[in-house]
Amino acid sequence: MTAGDHHEFEPIWGLPEELPPGETILWQGQPQFWSLARRAYHLVGLSAYFALVLGWLFVNASPSGLSSVMLAVGLALTALCLFATLAWLACRTSVYTITSQRVVMRIGIALQINLNLPFTHIASAQLKTYRDGTGDIPLQLAGDQRIAYFLLWPHARPWHVRAPQPALRSLADVEEVAGLLTRALRASLD
């Protein structure tokens, strides 16, 4: 689904309802597959782990035990394909929207939810960039606002389980989006 398409139950792509008068969409986007697969689903680390285990099995296998090594290879490839598919589905079904008054995150594969984060509920936004040009924008919520980490994952700042932070993950144009969000947050304070 692209920005021009509409979800069956969405009047505007990525939004559960029409925007109120005076509110405008500033930006919409989705996570980038390879970045999310690598950082949230740890596909590279899992591949390295399976390669080490399979290498060890192969080196220590007797000629009659090679069929069990091949079975292990099949299982490892199945697991990697499963994680890659989950990452692809997370990217395909997620939409991040920044409006002039809030951040809306449509997330979830089987059960989709819309997180509506008005700027008044956002204490700060940070920027995490990666060497491949992608990055994350974690949003620290104001006051006692909390959202369960497992509800957010993989759209949460990694390892912040006690105080979960929703995050716009694996964005291709992250610096541009961060600048736009910063300007919108500042304008909402005026």
Side-chain angles (χ1 to χ4, degrees), residues 4-55:
D5 297 332
H6 291 279
H7 190 271
E8 186 176 334
F9 300 104
E10 295 175 322
I12 300 172
W13 182 66
L15 297 175
E17 58 190 29
E18 295 287 340
L19 292 175
E23 185 174 0
T24 58
I25 294 175
L26 303 176
W27 176 87
Q28 287 188 301
Q30 295 177 285
Q32 298 298 303
F33 166 73
W34 181 243
S35 179
L36 191 69
R38 186 173 177 200
R39 293 186 177 83
Y41 291 87
H42 305 285
L43 223 53
V44 173
L46 284 172
S47 298
Y49 170 76
F50 285 137
L52 287 172
V53 169
L54 293 171

Side-chain angles (χ1 to χ4, degrees), residues 1-3 13-14 25-32 90-98 104-107 155 168-173 177:
M1 187 174 287
T2 61
W13 182 66
I25 294 175
L26 303 176
W27 176 87
Q28 287 188 301
Q30 295 177 285
Q32 298 298 303
C91 291
R92 180 113 172 111
T93 59
S94 300
V95 181
Y96 304 138
T97 304
I98 300 173
V104 180
M105 299 170 64
R106 181 187 14 110
I107 59 175
H155 310 279
L168 309 179
R169 298 283 309 263
S170 301
L171 300 178
D173 49 353
V177 176

Side-chain angles (χ1 to χ4, degrees), residues 9 16 24 40 49 60-61 63 72 75 77 87 117 135 147:
F9 300 104
T24 58
Y49 170 76
N60 293 306
L75 291 173
L77 289 175
L117 305 168
I147 303 170

Side-chain angles (χ1 to χ4, degrees), residues 66-149:
L66 287 180
S67 63
S68 62
V69 172
M70 293 312 294
L71 176 64
V73 168
L75 291 173
L77 289 175
T78 300
L80 291 173
C81 286
L82 176 65
F83 279 95
T85 300
L86 287 172
W88 180 79
L89 287 170
C91 291
R92 180 113 172 111
T93 59
S94 300
V95 181
Y96 304 138
T97 304
I98 300 173
T99 74
S100 54
Q101 298 177 13
R102 59 189 160 150
V103 174
V104 180
M105 299 170 64
R106 181 187 14 110
I107 59 175
I109 296 172
L111 180 61
Q112 291 189 338
I113 62 169
N114 286 290
L115 294 177
N116 183 28
L117 305 168
F119 290 161
T120 56
H121 293 171
I122 299 174
S124 68
Q126 297 180 355
L127 173 62
K128 171 71 176 168
T129 58
Y130 301 108
R131 279 189 263 159
D132 65 359
T134 64
D136 301 339
I137 303 175
L139 306 171
Q140 185 174 2
L141 301 178
D144 293 336
Q145 304 288 328
R146 289 186 62 143
I147 303 170
Y149 186 84

